[in-house]
Amino acid sequence: MTEQEERDDAAQALATEIRRIGGRLKRRLREISGVGDMPGSQIAVLLHLESEGQATISDLARAEGMRPQSMGAIIAALEAAGHVQGRPDPADGRRTLLSLTERCAAWMQAGRIARQDMLAGAIAARLSPEEQTQLGAALPLLARLVE
Amino acid sequence: MTEQEERDDAAQALATEIRRIGGRLKRRLREISGVGDMPGSQIAVLLHLESEGQATISDLARAEGMRPQSMGAIIAALEAAGHVQGRPDPADGRRTLLSLTERCAAWMQAGRIARQDMLAGAIAARLSPEEQTQLGAALPLLARLVE
DNA sequence: CTAATATCAGGACAACTGATATAT
DNA sequence: CATATATCAGTTTTCCTGATATTA
């Protein structure tokens, strides 16, 4: 076996494992990544808005790697639930600036998301601090594969 | 901030990153994990059958972490395409033992999957050998979160 | 005029749940 | 009778593509 073939085999083995775990991840992330009834996609948006203050639908779509139409549906659900609100951008009439409602911001600051975050709970319960560090370092590598 | 709170914060930050990358992964894995027209879920089954020889639908469903009904649909597609074949288990009338067809086994041995595997290609192209090792070591940690 | 934002409408996909027939 | 395998049928979720109005 040539060195090139060995490298290909290594990549192939890794691909197989990613497929297997990725498949599971895809299915389970829906259940474990939510907070109560709220899906992980909505949580991600709230956390983004909490740290950034405000953003447009297109901003959020880019940040999460999806289409504006898809993000629009997520935002519509969050608006209907009274968690985010939009106001027109005074500087650009095309844009709608989204931000957390006061009630939602207070709810998040009270740490209720953190305490109910099943994914964070699973991480804390099942991974040692060292393992968490190891996983955190590897995530950007995974991100590079899907960008 | 107590040590406990610091640990919780670390887990929360990791959870946020997994949500973001996991979301992307979920969406992009469909495109990049396939081999040509074949979806990643089918590839995973073929690789499993290649290494194990034969298996039932329920075996495969358990291995991939999904329901037998869902695996049934994947198998039906592979059978229709002539890639796998089933025969009744002589020892247990409930079971159907699935295996690769000769033609599919030959196709896989010829390395055509490996050369057309976009995910393996992305890994080889975008990650150094060291990074591949690092990612490989972290995948079991991710698996532990979703089991 | 071209590009970006947002939204409407319809569609595809991959998993799910529930129910059923058969065999152990 | 309780359990396991396989399959039929219908539903849900999530994101997709295409088309359109508006504004920069």
Side-chain angles (χ1 to χ4, degrees):
Chain A
M1 193 181 288
T2 67
E3 273 187 34
Q4 178 61 46
E5 282 169 344
E6 274 175 22
R7 276 199 299 276
D8 287 351
D9 270 15
Q12 178 78 50
L14 199 50
T16 300
E17 203 168 354
I18 290 177
R19 254 189 276 271
R20 168 172 262 117
I21 296 176
R24 271 205 166 85
L25 194 64
K26 185 170 86 174
R27 277 168 242 124
R28 292 293 168 82
L29 218 51
R30 194 182 312 168
E31 310 161 15
I32 68 167
S33 82
V35 172
D37 271 354
M38 191 178 291
S41 55
Q42 293 184 27
I43 301 291
V45 168
L46 294 185
L47 291 167
H48 185 103
L49 286 176
E50 187 183 37
S51 64
E52 300 295 320
Q54 58 183 21
T56 66
I57 285 186
S58 295
D59 291 337
L60 292 165
R62 268 189 297 270
E64 303 299 325
M66 62 173 63
R67 306 302 166 100
Q69 298 98 311
S70 304
M71 182 56 74
I74 296 170
I75 297 301
L78 286 170
E79 278 189 316
H83 294 126
V84 310
Q85 59 196 349
R87 64 182 182 87
D89 184 339
D92 185 337
R94 295 170 303 179
R95 297 172 155 233
T96 298
L97 295 173
L98 301 163
S99 57
L100 299 178
T101 58
E102 261 186 51
R103 190 164 135 271
C104 181
W107 177 71
M108 292 180 72
Q109 280 198 341
R112 296 202 192 154
I113 276 198
R115 273 197 297 277
Q116 291 177 31
D117 188 334
M118 287 181 277
L119 183 55
I123 290 167
R126 299 185 184 184
L127 300 182
S128 69
E130 293 73 28
E131 289 170 334
Q132 292 180 31
T133 303
Q134 190 184 359
L135 180 54
L139 285 177
L141 303 178
L142 213 46
R144 212 187 300 164
L145 291 179
V146 296
E147 271 162 5
Chain B
M1 191 181 289
T2 67
E3 274 188 32
Q4 179 63 46
E5 283 170 341
E6 275 176 20
R7 275 200 299 279
D8 287 351
D9 270 14
Q12 179 77 53
L14 198 51
T16 301
E17 202 168 355
I18 289 177
R19 253 189 277 272
R20 170 172 262 117
I21 295 177
R24 270 204 168 87
L25 194 65
K26 185 169 88 175
R27 277 167 243 124
R28 294 292 163 83
L29 217 52
R30 193 182 313 170
E31 310 159 16
I32 69 167
S33 83
V35 173
D37 272 353
M38 191 178 291
S41 55
Q42 293 185 26
I43 301 291
V45 168
L46 294 185
L47 291 166
H48 185 103
L49 286 176
E50 187 182 37
S51 64
E52 299 294 320
Q54 58 183 20
T56 67
I57 285 187
S58 294
D59 292 336
L60 292 166
R62 269 189 297 271
E64 303 299 326
M66 63 174 62
R67 308 298 167 96
Q69 298 99 309
S70 304
M71 183 55 74
I74 295 170
I75 297 301
L78 287 170
E79 278 188 315
H83 294 127
V84 311
Q85 57 196 351
R87 65 182 182 88
D89 184 339
D92 187 337
R94 297 170 303 180
R95 298 172 154 233
T96 298
L97 296 173
L98 299 164
S99 56
L100 299 178
T101 59
E102 262 186 49
R103 190 163 136 271
C104 181
W107 178 69
M108 291 181 72
Q109 280 197 341
R112 298 205 191 152
I113 277 198
R115 274 197 295 276
Q116 291 177 32
D117 188 335
M118 286 182 278
L119 183 54
I123 290 166
R126 299 187 184 184
L127 301 182
S128 70
E130 293 73 28
E131 289 170 334
Q132 292 181 31
T133 302
Q134 190 184 0
L135 179 55
L139 285 177
L141 303 177
L142 213 46
R144 211 187 302 164
L145 291 180
V146 295
E147 269 162 9

